[in-house]
Amino acid sequence: MTPQTIVCLGEVMIELSPAGPGLARIGVAGDTFNTAVYLRRLTDPAVRVSYVTALGYDIQSDRILAALREEGLDTTRIARASPT
């Protein structure tokens, strides 16, 4: 039997939340990101949950990629693009 894959397509946002006077907490959020995360948490581990988007080569894109991987999402379909 072929393993099942769920694919979520969209963009991930960097979220800044107040963390004190002059401070902000940096998080990762967005509807499709949250959907993919909860699908991963709620489905059978044999089901692959893959995220499709495009990211750059900058610190925030690296942060997003790390967050996706920490949640167990497949990131092999993510394109990385350099500014032209």
PDB file of all heavy atoms in Angstrom, residues 8-15 26-37 50-56 58 60-69 71 73-75 78:
ATOM      1  N   CYS A   8      -0.271  20.646   2.510  1.00  0.00           N
ATOM      2  CA  CYS A   8      -0.809  21.968   2.815  1.00  0.00           C
ATOM      3  C   CYS A   8       0.021  22.987   2.042  1.00  0.00           C
ATOM      4  O   CYS A   8       1.247  22.943   2.068  1.00  0.00           O
ATOM      5  CB  CYS A   8      -0.742  22.258   4.307  1.00  0.00           C
ATOM      6  SG  CYS A   8      -1.790  21.172   5.289  1.00  0.00           S
ATOM      7  N   LEU A   9      -0.653  23.889   1.369  1.00  0.00           N
ATOM      8  CA  LEU A   9      -0.003  24.887   0.527  1.00  0.00           C
ATOM      9  C   LEU A   9      -0.363  26.275   1.035  1.00  0.00           C
ATOM     10  O   LEU A   9      -1.532  26.573   1.247  1.00  0.00           O
ATOM     11  CB  LEU A   9      -0.480  24.719  -0.914  1.00  0.00           C
ATOM     12  CG  LEU A   9      -0.103  25.782  -1.921  1.00  0.00           C
ATOM     13  CD1 LEU A   9       1.381  25.752  -2.193  1.00  0.00           C
ATOM     14  CD2 LEU A   9      -0.872  25.575  -3.207  1.00  0.00           C
ATOM     15  N   GLY A  10       0.639  27.117   1.248  1.00  0.00           N
ATOM     16  CA  GLY A  10       0.349  28.473   1.704  1.00  0.00           C
ATOM     17  C   GLY A  10       1.608  29.198   2.129  1.00  0.00           C
ATOM     18  O   GLY A  10       2.714  28.791   1.784  1.00  0.00           O
ATOM     19  N   GLU A  11       1.402  30.266   2.876  1.00  0.00           N
ATOM     20  CA  GLU A  11       2.540  31.021   3.390  1.00  0.00           C
ATOM     21  C   GLU A  11       2.512  30.997   4.905  1.00  0.00           C
ATOM     22  O   GLU A  11       1.462  30.870   5.510  1.00  0.00           O
ATOM     23  CB  GLU A  11       2.546  32.464   2.874  1.00  0.00           C
ATOM     24  CG  GLU A  11       1.500  33.374   3.490  1.00  0.00           C
ATOM     25  CD  GLU A  11       0.109  33.238   2.901  1.00  0.00           C
ATOM     26  OE1 GLU A  11      -0.052  32.587   1.849  1.00  0.00           O
ATOM     27  OE2 GLU A  11      -0.821  33.777   3.502  1.00  0.00           O
ATOM     28  N   VAL A  12       3.688  31.076   5.463  1.00  0.00           N
ATOM     29  CA  VAL A  12       3.846  31.112   6.911  1.00  0.00           C
ATOM     30  C   VAL A  12       4.217  32.538   7.296  1.00  0.00           C
ATOM     31  O   VAL A  12       4.950  33.208   6.580  1.00  0.00           O
ATOM     32  CB  VAL A  12       4.962  30.140   7.375  1.00  0.00           C
ATOM     33  CG1 VAL A  12       5.070  30.123   8.879  1.00  0.00           C
ATOM     34  CG2 VAL A  12       4.696  28.744   6.842  1.00  0.00           C
ATOM     35  N   MET A  13       3.700  32.993   8.410  1.00  0.00           N
ATOM     36  CA  MET A  13       3.983  34.359   8.856  1.00  0.00           C
ATOM     37  C   MET A  13       4.860  34.355  10.096  1.00  0.00           C
ATOM     38  O   MET A  13       4.789  33.450  10.915  1.00  0.00           O
ATOM     39  CB  MET A  13       2.678  35.070   9.183  1.00  0.00           C
ATOM     40  CG  MET A  13       1.773  35.252   7.992  1.00  0.00           C
ATOM     41  SD  MET A  13       0.247  36.099   8.435  1.00  0.00           S
ATOM     42  CE  MET A  13      -0.597  34.822   9.324  1.00  0.00           C
ATOM     43  N   ILE A  14       5.667  35.374  10.194  1.00  0.00           N
ATOM     44  CA  ILE A  14       6.397  35.647  11.427  1.00  0.00           C
ATOM     45  C   ILE A  14       5.464  36.479  12.291  1.00  0.00           C
ATOM     46  O   ILE A  14       4.900  37.474  11.835  1.00  0.00           O
ATOM     47  CB  ILE A  14       7.714  36.411  11.152  1.00  0.00           C
ATOM     48  CG1 ILE A  14       8.686  35.518  10.386  1.00  0.00           C
ATOM     49  CG2 ILE A  14       8.337  36.929  12.438  1.00  0.00           C
ATOM     50  CD1 ILE A  14       9.161  34.292  11.148  1.00  0.00           C
ATOM     51  N   GLU A  15       5.284  36.059  13.531  1.00  0.00           N
ATOM     52  CA  GLU A  15       4.367  36.729  14.448  1.00  0.00           C
ATOM     53  C   GLU A  15       5.175  37.362  15.579  1.00  0.00           C
ATOM     54  O   GLU A  15       5.993  36.695  16.207  1.00  0.00           O
ATOM     55  CB  GLU A  15       3.400  35.682  15.007  1.00  0.00           C
ATOM     56  CG  GLU A  15       2.419  36.206  16.000  1.00  0.00           C
ATOM     57  CD  GLU A  15       1.508  35.098  16.482  1.00  0.00           C
ATOM     58  OE1 GLU A  15       2.012  34.166  17.140  1.00  0.00           O
ATOM     59  OE2 GLU A  15       0.306  35.172  16.210  1.00  0.00           O
ATOM     60  N   ILE A  26       9.210  36.367  19.052  1.00  0.00           N
ATOM     61  CA  ILE A  26       9.062  36.028  17.645  1.00  0.00           C
ATOM     62  C   ILE A  26       8.520  34.612  17.545  1.00  0.00           C
ATOM     63  O   ILE A  26       9.094  33.681  18.108  1.00  0.00           O
ATOM     64  CB  ILE A  26      10.402  36.133  16.893  1.00  0.00           C
ATOM     65  CG1 ILE A  26      10.953  37.551  16.979  1.00  0.00           C
ATOM     66  CG2 ILE A  26      10.230  35.721  15.434  1.00  0.00           C
ATOM     67  CD1 ILE A  26      12.349  37.705  16.414  1.00  0.00           C
ATOM     68  N   GLY A  27       7.415  34.466  16.830  1.00  0.00           N
ATOM     69  CA  GLY A  27       6.818  33.149  16.636  1.00  0.00           C
ATOM     70  C   GLY A  27       6.524  32.915  15.165  1.00  0.00           C
ATOM     71  O   GLY A  27       6.763  33.767  14.317  1.00  0.00           O
ATOM     72  N   VAL A  28       6.015  31.751  14.883  1.00  0.00           N
ATOM     73  CA  VAL A  28       5.641  31.363  13.530  1.00  0.00           C
ATOM     74  C   VAL A  28       4.163  31.030  13.574  1.00  0.00           C
ATOM     75  O   VAL A  28       3.699  30.330  14.473  1.00  0.00           O
ATOM     76  CB  VAL A  28       6.475  30.144  13.074  1.00  0.00           C
ATOM     77  CG1 VAL A  28       6.040  29.668  11.718  1.00  0.00           C
ATOM     78  CG2 VAL A  28       7.958  30.491  13.070  1.00  0.00           C
ATOM     79  N   ALA A  29       3.405  31.539  12.598  1.00  0.00           N
ATOM     80  CA  ALA A  29       1.955  31.353  12.627  1.00  0.00           C
ATOM     81  C   ALA A  29       1.388  31.395  11.217  1.00  0.00           C
ATOM     82  O   ALA A  29       2.118  31.537  10.244  1.00  0.00           O
ATOM     83  CB  ALA A  29       1.318  32.452  13.486  1.00  0.00           C
ATOM     84  N   GLY A  30       0.095  31.296  11.144  1.00  0.00           N
ATOM     85  CA  GLY A  30      -0.629  31.379   9.885  1.00  0.00           C
ATOM     86  C   GLY A  30      -1.624  30.240   9.768  1.00  0.00           C
ATOM     87  O   GLY A  30      -1.431  29.160  10.342  1.00  0.00           O
ATOM     88  N   ASP A  31      -2.693  30.478   9.025  1.00  0.00           N
ATOM     89  CA  ASP A  31      -3.761  29.482   8.913  1.00  0.00           C
ATOM     90  C   ASP A  31      -3.272  28.145   8.366  1.00  0.00           C
ATOM     91  O   ASP A  31      -3.558  27.092   8.933  1.00  0.00           O
ATOM     92  CB  ASP A  31      -4.892  30.008   8.021  1.00  0.00           C
ATOM     93  CG  ASP A  31      -5.622  31.180   8.636  1.00  0.00           C
ATOM     94  OD1 ASP A  31      -5.477  31.404   9.852  1.00  0.00           O
ATOM     95  OD2 ASP A  31      -6.342  31.874   7.906  1.00  0.00           O
ATOM     96  N   THR A  32      -2.530  28.176   7.264  1.00  0.00           N
ATOM     97  CA  THR A  32      -2.098  26.907   6.669  1.00  0.00           C
ATOM     98  C   THR A  32      -1.025  26.232   7.522  1.00  0.00           C
ATOM     99  O   THR A  32      -0.976  25.010   7.596  1.00  0.00           O
ATOM    100  CB  THR A  32      -1.603  27.094   5.229  1.00  0.00           C
ATOM    101  OG1 THR A  32      -0.521  28.038   5.206  1.00  0.00           O
ATOM    102  CG2 THR A  32      -2.731  27.583   4.331  1.00  0.00           C
ATOM    103  N   PHE A  33      -0.171  27.025   8.161  1.00  0.00           N
ATOM    104  CA  PHE A  33       0.831  26.467   9.086  1.00  0.00           C
ATOM    105  C   PHE A  33       0.122  25.762  10.235  1.00  0.00           C
ATOM    106  O   PHE A  33       0.432  24.612  10.561  1.00  0.00           O
ATOM    107  CB  PHE A  33       1.747  27.570   9.605  1.00  0.00           C
ATOM    108  CG  PHE A  33       2.659  27.120  10.716  1.00  0.00           C
ATOM    109  CD1 PHE A  33       3.807  26.389  10.439  1.00  0.00           C
ATOM    110  CD2 PHE A  33       2.372  27.409  12.044  1.00  0.00           C
ATOM    111  CE1 PHE A  33       4.658  25.961  11.462  1.00  0.00           C
ATOM    112  CE2 PHE A  33       3.210  26.988  13.062  1.00  0.00           C
ATOM    113  CZ  PHE A  33       4.350  26.269  12.775  1.00  0.00           C
ATOM    114  N   ASN A  34      -0.827  26.449  10.867  1.00  0.00           N
ATOM    115  CA  ASN A  34      -1.552  25.865  11.993  1.00  0.00           C
ATOM    116  C   ASN A  34      -2.310  24.611  11.581  1.00  0.00           C
ATOM    117  O   ASN A  34      -2.342  23.619  12.313  1.00  0.00           O
ATOM    118  CB  ASN A  34      -2.515  26.886  12.603  1.00  0.00           C
ATOM    119  CG  ASN A  34      -1.794  28.045  13.250  1.00  0.00           C
ATOM    120  OD1 ASN A  34      -0.620  27.953  13.593  1.00  0.00           O
ATOM    121  ND2 ASN A  34      -2.488  29.159  13.403  1.00  0.00           N
ATOM    122  N   THR A  35      -2.921  24.636  10.390  1.00  0.00           N
ATOM    123  CA  THR A  35      -3.644  23.473   9.890  1.00  0.00           C
ATOM    124  C   THR A  35      -2.695  22.287   9.730  1.00  0.00           C
ATOM    125  O   THR A  35      -2.998  21.173  10.161  1.00  0.00           O
ATOM    126  CB  THR A  35      -4.324  23.794   8.545  1.00  0.00           C
ATOM    127  OG1 THR A  35      -5.275  24.849   8.751  1.00  0.00           O
ATOM    128  CG2 THR A  35      -5.033  22.577   7.974  1.00  0.00           C
ATOM    129  N   ALA A  36      -1.539  22.522   9.109  1.00  0.00           N
ATOM    130  CA  ALA A  36      -0.568  21.452   8.906  1.00  0.00           C
ATOM    131  C   ALA A  36      -0.075  20.896  10.247  1.00  0.00           C
ATOM    132  O   ALA A  36       0.039  19.670  10.409  1.00  0.00           O
ATOM    133  CB  ALA A  36       0.602  21.960   8.075  1.00  0.00           C
ATOM    134  N   VAL A  37       0.195  21.771  11.185  1.00  0.00           N
ATOM    135  CA  VAL A  37       0.679  21.335  12.502  1.00  0.00           C
ATOM    136  C   VAL A  37      -0.352  20.443  13.181  1.00  0.00           C
ATOM    137  O   VAL A  37      -0.025  19.362  13.690  1.00  0.00           O
ATOM    138  CB  VAL A  37       1.021  22.550  13.397  1.00  0.00           C
ATOM    139  CG1 VAL A  37       1.192  22.132  14.852  1.00  0.00           C
ATOM    140  CG2 VAL A  37       2.270  23.248  12.887  1.00  0.00           C
ATOM    141  N   SER A  50       2.866  17.221   4.540  1.00  0.00           N
ATOM    142  CA  SER A  50       3.873  17.985   3.821  1.00  0.00           C
ATOM    143  C   SER A  50       3.419  19.437   3.672  1.00  0.00           C
ATOM    144  O   SER A  50       2.234  19.703   3.470  1.00  0.00           O
ATOM    145  CB  SER A  50       4.068  17.357   2.439  1.00  0.00           C
ATOM    146  OG  SER A  50       5.092  17.982   1.734  1.00  0.00           O
ATOM    147  N   TYR A  51       4.362  20.354   3.768  1.00  0.00           N
ATOM    148  CA  TYR A  51       4.056  21.772   3.602  1.00  0.00           C
ATOM    149  C   TYR A  51       4.736  22.281   2.344  1.00  0.00           C
ATOM    150  O   TYR A  51       5.909  21.988   2.100  1.00  0.00           O
ATOM    151  CB  TYR A  51       4.535  22.574   4.826  1.00  0.00           C
ATOM    152  CG  TYR A  51       3.861  23.905   4.915  1.00  0.00           C
ATOM    153  CD1 TYR A  51       2.620  24.030   5.514  1.00  0.00           C
ATOM    154  CD2 TYR A  51       4.438  25.040   4.378  1.00  0.00           C
ATOM    155  CE1 TYR A  51       1.967  25.253   5.582  1.00  0.00           C
ATOM    156  CE2 TYR A  51       3.801  26.259   4.435  1.00  0.00           C
ATOM    157  CZ  TYR A  51       2.564  26.356   5.038  1.00  0.00           C
ATOM    158  OH  TYR A  51       1.928  27.571   5.092  1.00  0.00           O
ATOM    159  N   VAL A  52       4.002  23.033   1.534  1.00  0.00           N
ATOM    160  CA  VAL A  52       4.521  23.587   0.284  1.00  0.00           C
ATOM    161  C   VAL A  52       4.467  25.103   0.357  1.00  0.00           C
ATOM    162  O   VAL A  52       3.412  25.689   0.596  1.00  0.00           O
ATOM    163  CB  VAL A  52       3.697  23.098  -0.932  1.00  0.00           C
ATOM    164  CG1 VAL A  52       4.231  23.696  -2.223  1.00  0.00           C
ATOM    165  CG2 VAL A  52       3.686  21.588  -1.003  1.00  0.00           C
ATOM    166  N   THR A  53       5.617  25.724   0.167  1.00  0.00           N
ATOM    167  CA  THR A  53       5.729  27.179   0.150  1.00  0.00           C
ATOM    168  C   THR A  53       7.066  27.537  -0.470  1.00  0.00           C
ATOM    169  O   THR A  53       7.806  26.665  -0.907  1.00  0.00           O
ATOM    170  CB  THR A  53       5.580  27.777   1.570  1.00  0.00           C
ATOM    171  OG1 THR A  53       5.326  29.173   1.475  1.00  0.00           O
ATOM    172  CG2 THR A  53       6.791  27.511   2.430  1.00  0.00           C
ATOM    173  N   ALA A  54       7.361  28.804  -0.519  1.00  0.00           N
ATOM    174  CA  ALA A  54       8.682  29.269  -0.949  1.00  0.00           C
ATOM    175  C   ALA A  54       9.239  30.161   0.156  1.00  0.00           C
ATOM    176  O   ALA A  54       8.514  30.972   0.739  1.00  0.00           O
ATOM    177  CB  ALA A  54       8.582  30.046  -2.254  1.00  0.00           C
ATOM    178  N   LEU A  55      10.522  29.989   0.437  1.00  0.00           N
ATOM    179  CA  LEU A  55      11.206  30.775   1.456  1.00  0.00           C
ATOM    180  C   LEU A  55      12.489  31.347   0.863  1.00  0.00           C
ATOM    181  O   LEU A  55      12.988  30.855  -0.134  1.00  0.00           O
ATOM    182  CB  LEU A  55      11.552  29.900   2.667  1.00  0.00           C
ATOM    183  CG  LEU A  55      10.392  29.302   3.455  1.00  0.00           C
ATOM    184  CD1 LEU A  55      10.901  28.294   4.469  1.00  0.00           C
ATOM    185  CD2 LEU A  55       9.584  30.393   4.122  1.00  0.00           C
ATOM    186  N   GLY A  56      13.017  32.350   1.530  1.00  0.00           N
ATOM    187  CA  GLY A  56      14.287  32.929   1.114  1.00  0.00           C
ATOM    188  C   GLY A  56      15.442  32.298   1.861  1.00  0.00           C
ATOM    189  O   GLY A  56      15.307  31.243   2.488  1.00  0.00           O
ATOM    190  N   ASP A  58      17.269  33.767   4.536  1.00  0.00           N
ATOM    191  CA  ASP A  58      17.441  34.786   5.567  1.00  0.00           C
ATOM    192  C   ASP A  58      17.091  34.173   6.915  1.00  0.00           C
ATOM    193  O   ASP A  58      16.570  33.063   6.984  1.00  0.00           O
ATOM    194  CB  ASP A  58      16.549  36.005   5.273  1.00  0.00           C
ATOM    195  CG  ASP A  58      15.085  35.606   5.172  1.00  0.00           C
ATOM    196  OD1 ASP A  58      14.413  35.558   6.210  1.00  0.00           O
ATOM    197  OD2 ASP A  58      14.624  35.316   4.046  1.00  0.00           O
ATOM    198  N   GLN A  60      14.779  34.779   9.119  1.00  0.00           N
ATOM    199  CA  GLN A  60      13.371  34.484   9.386  1.00  0.00           C
ATOM    200  C   GLN A  60      12.902  33.255   8.600  1.00  0.00           C
ATOM    201  O   GLN A  60      12.125  32.445   9.101  1.00  0.00           O
ATOM    202  CB  GLN A  60      12.489  35.703   9.110  1.00  0.00           C
ATOM    203  CG  GLN A  60      12.814  36.907   9.970  1.00  0.00           C
ATOM    204  CD  GLN A  60      12.844  36.622  11.476  1.00  0.00           C
ATOM    205  OE1 GLN A  60      12.229  35.678  11.968  1.00  0.00           O
ATOM    206  NE2 GLN A  60      13.578  37.430  12.210  1.00  0.00           N
ATOM    207  N   SER A  61      13.372  33.119   7.365  1.00  0.00           N
ATOM    208  CA  SER A  61      13.043  31.915   6.593  1.00  0.00           C
ATOM    209  C   SER A  61      13.626  30.684   7.267  1.00  0.00           C
ATOM    210  O   SER A  61      12.979  29.628   7.323  1.00  0.00           O
ATOM    211  CB  SER A  61      13.566  32.050   5.162  1.00  0.00           C
ATOM    212  OG  SER A  61      12.860  33.054   4.461  1.00  0.00           O
ATOM    213  N   ASP A  62      14.846  30.803   7.789  1.00  0.00           N
ATOM    214  CA  ASP A  62      15.458  29.690   8.524  1.00  0.00           C
ATOM    215  C   ASP A  62      14.640  29.354   9.769  1.00  0.00           C
ATOM    216  O   ASP A  62      14.460  28.185  10.119  1.00  0.00           O
ATOM    217  CB  ASP A  62      16.891  30.030   8.931  1.00  0.00           C
ATOM    218  CG  ASP A  62      17.833  30.131   7.744  1.00  0.00           C
ATOM    219  OD1 ASP A  62      17.489  29.660   6.629  1.00  0.00           O
ATOM    220  OD2 ASP A  62      18.931  30.703   7.924  1.00  0.00           O
ATOM    221  N   ARG A  63      14.117  30.373  10.436  1.00  0.00           N
ATOM    222  CA  ARG A  63      13.282  30.177  11.629  1.00  0.00           C
ATOM    223  C   ARG A  63      11.999  29.420  11.260  1.00  0.00           C
ATOM    224  O   ARG A  63      11.572  28.505  11.968  1.00  0.00           O
ATOM    225  CB  ARG A  63      12.933  31.531  12.244  1.00  0.00           C
ATOM    226  CG  ARG A  63      12.088  31.451  13.503  1.00  0.00           C
ATOM    227  CD  ARG A  63      11.667  32.836  13.997  1.00  0.00           C
ATOM    228  NE  ARG A  63      12.782  33.721  14.229  1.00  0.00           N
ATOM    229  CZ  ARG A  63      13.493  33.790  15.364  1.00  0.00           C
ATOM    230  NH1 ARG A  63      13.188  33.003  16.369  1.00  0.00           N
ATOM    231  NH2 ARG A  63      14.477  34.646  15.489  1.00  0.00           N
ATOM    232  N   ILE A  64      11.393  29.806  10.148  1.00  0.00           N
ATOM    233  CA  ILE A  64      10.170  29.140   9.685  1.00  0.00           C
ATOM    234  C   ILE A  64      10.459  27.678   9.364  1.00  0.00           C
ATOM    235  O   ILE A  64       9.722  26.781   9.784  1.00  0.00           O
ATOM    236  CB  ILE A  64       9.584  29.876   8.461  1.00  0.00           C
ATOM    237  CG1 ILE A  64       9.009  31.225   8.893  1.00  0.00           C
ATOM    238  CG2 ILE A  64       8.528  29.025   7.759  1.00  0.00           C
ATOM    239  CD1 ILE A  64       8.657  32.155   7.743  1.00  0.00           C
ATOM    240  N   LEU A  65      11.517  27.425   8.623  1.00  0.00           N
ATOM    241  CA  LEU A  65      11.874  26.062   8.248  1.00  0.00           C
ATOM    242  C   LEU A  65      12.127  25.204   9.490  1.00  0.00           C
ATOM    243  O   LEU A  65      11.668  24.057   9.577  1.00  0.00           O
ATOM    244  CB  LEU A  65      13.099  26.086   7.343  1.00  0.00           C
ATOM    245  CG  LEU A  65      13.407  24.827   6.559  1.00  0.00           C
ATOM    246  CD1 LEU A  65      12.233  24.395   5.698  1.00  0.00           C
ATOM    247  CD2 LEU A  65      14.639  25.048   5.704  1.00  0.00           C
ATOM    248  N   ALA A  66      12.810  25.755  10.467  1.00  0.00           N
ATOM    249  CA  ALA A  66      13.073  25.030  11.716  1.00  0.00           C
ATOM    250  C   ALA A  66      11.767  24.708  12.442  1.00  0.00           C
ATOM    251  O   ALA A  66      11.598  23.602  12.971  1.00  0.00           O
ATOM    252  CB  ALA A  66      14.004  25.833  12.608  1.00  0.00           C
ATOM    253  N   ALA A  67      10.844  25.658  12.479  1.00  0.00           N
ATOM    254  CA  ALA A  67       9.561  25.434  13.157  1.00  0.00           C
ATOM    255  C   ALA A  67       8.762  24.332  12.463  1.00  0.00           C
ATOM    256  O   ALA A  67       8.148  23.483  13.129  1.00  0.00           O
ATOM    257  CB  ALA A  67       8.754  26.731  13.194  1.00  0.00           C
ATOM    258  N   LEU A  68       8.769  24.322  11.134  1.00  0.00           N
ATOM    259  CA  LEU A  68       8.070  23.272  10.390  1.00  0.00           C
ATOM    260  C   LEU A  68       8.664  21.905  10.714  1.00  0.00           C
ATOM    261  O   LEU A  68       7.937  20.941  10.964  1.00  0.00           O
ATOM    262  CB  LEU A  68       8.164  23.546   8.887  1.00  0.00           C
ATOM    263  CG  LEU A  68       7.371  24.754   8.370  1.00  0.00           C
ATOM    264  CD1 LEU A  68       7.859  25.159   6.984  1.00  0.00           C
ATOM    265  CD2 LEU A  68       5.893  24.441   8.340  1.00  0.00           C
ATOM    266  N   ARG A  69       9.975  21.833  10.724  1.00  0.00           N
ATOM    267  CA  ARG A  69      10.647  20.561  11.004  1.00  0.00           C
ATOM    268  C   ARG A  69      10.436  20.110  12.449  1.00  0.00           C
ATOM    269  O   ARG A  69      10.252  18.915  12.707  1.00  0.00           O
ATOM    270  CB  ARG A  69      12.130  20.677  10.685  1.00  0.00           C
ATOM    271  CG  ARG A  69      12.367  20.749   9.185  1.00  0.00           C
ATOM    272  CD  ARG A  69      13.814  20.922   8.844  1.00  0.00           C
ATOM    273  NE  ARG A  69      14.002  20.889   7.393  1.00  0.00           N
ATOM    274  CZ  ARG A  69      15.014  21.453   6.774  1.00  0.00           C
ATOM    275  NH1 ARG A  69      15.955  22.093   7.459  1.00  0.00           N
ATOM    276  NH2 ARG A  69      15.104  21.386   5.455  1.00  0.00           N
ATOM    277  N   GLU A  71       7.894  20.486  14.172  1.00  0.00           N
ATOM    278  CA  GLU A  71       6.539  19.941  14.270  1.00  0.00           C
ATOM    279  C   GLU A  71       6.379  18.631  13.507  1.00  0.00           C
ATOM    280  O   GLU A  71       5.299  18.064  13.454  1.00  0.00           O
ATOM    281  CB  GLU A  71       5.516  20.962  13.761  1.00  0.00           C
ATOM    282  CG  GLU A  71       5.339  22.145  14.682  1.00  0.00           C
ATOM    283  CD  GLU A  71       4.694  21.782  16.019  1.00  0.00           C
ATOM    284  OE1 GLU A  71       4.118  20.685  16.158  1.00  0.00           O
ATOM    285  OE2 GLU A  71       4.753  22.618  16.937  1.00  0.00           O
ATOM    286  N   LEU A  73       6.787  18.147  10.231  1.00  0.00           N
ATOM    287  CA  LEU A  73       6.244  18.305   8.882  1.00  0.00           C
ATOM    288  C   LEU A  73       7.317  18.015   7.840  1.00  0.00           C
ATOM    289  O   LEU A  73       8.492  18.326   8.032  1.00  0.00           O
ATOM    290  CB  LEU A  73       5.700  19.721   8.698  1.00  0.00           C
ATOM    291  CG  LEU A  73       4.558  20.086   9.639  1.00  0.00           C
ATOM    292  CD1 LEU A  73       4.235  21.566   9.541  1.00  0.00           C
ATOM    293  CD2 LEU A  73       3.331  19.257   9.344  1.00  0.00           C
ATOM    294  N   ASP A  74       6.887  17.444   6.726  1.00  0.00           N
ATOM    295  CA  ASP A  74       7.784  17.191   5.611  1.00  0.00           C
ATOM    296  C   ASP A  74       8.054  18.518   4.901  1.00  0.00           C
ATOM    297  O   ASP A  74       7.125  19.208   4.484  1.00  0.00           O
ATOM    298  CB  ASP A  74       7.133  16.195   4.652  1.00  0.00           C
ATOM    299  CG  ASP A  74       7.899  16.042   3.357  1.00  0.00           C
ATOM    300  OD1 ASP A  74       9.143  16.063   3.388  1.00  0.00           O
ATOM    301  OD2 ASP A  74       7.239  15.901   2.311  1.00  0.00           O
ATOM    302  N   THR A  75       9.312  18.873   4.769  1.00  0.00           N
ATOM    303  CA  THR A  75       9.687  20.158   4.157  1.00  0.00           C
ATOM    304  C   THR A  75      10.382  19.985   2.807  1.00  0.00           C
ATOM    305  O   THR A  75      10.941  20.937   2.283  1.00  0.00           O
ATOM    306  CB  THR A  75      10.601  20.957   5.109  1.00  0.00           C
ATOM    307  OG1 THR A  75      11.784  20.188   5.373  1.00  0.00           O
ATOM    308  CG2 THR A  75       9.886  21.285   6.414  1.00  0.00           C
ATOM    309  N   ILE A  78       9.521  22.478  -0.136  1.00  0.00           N
ATOM    310  CA  ILE A  78       9.706  23.909   0.066  1.00  0.00           C
ATOM    311  C   ILE A  78      10.827  24.409  -0.828  1.00  0.00           C
ATOM    312  O   ILE A  78      11.937  23.887  -0.806  1.00  0.00           O
ATOM    313  CB  ILE A  78       9.999  24.236   1.537  1.00  0.00           C
ATOM    314  CG1 ILE A  78       8.750  23.906   2.380  1.00  0.00           C
ATOM    315  CG2 ILE A  78      10.411  25.693   1.715  1.00  0.00           C
ATOM    316  CD1 ILE A  78       8.916  24.145   3.853  1.00  0.00           C
TER     317      ILE A  78
END
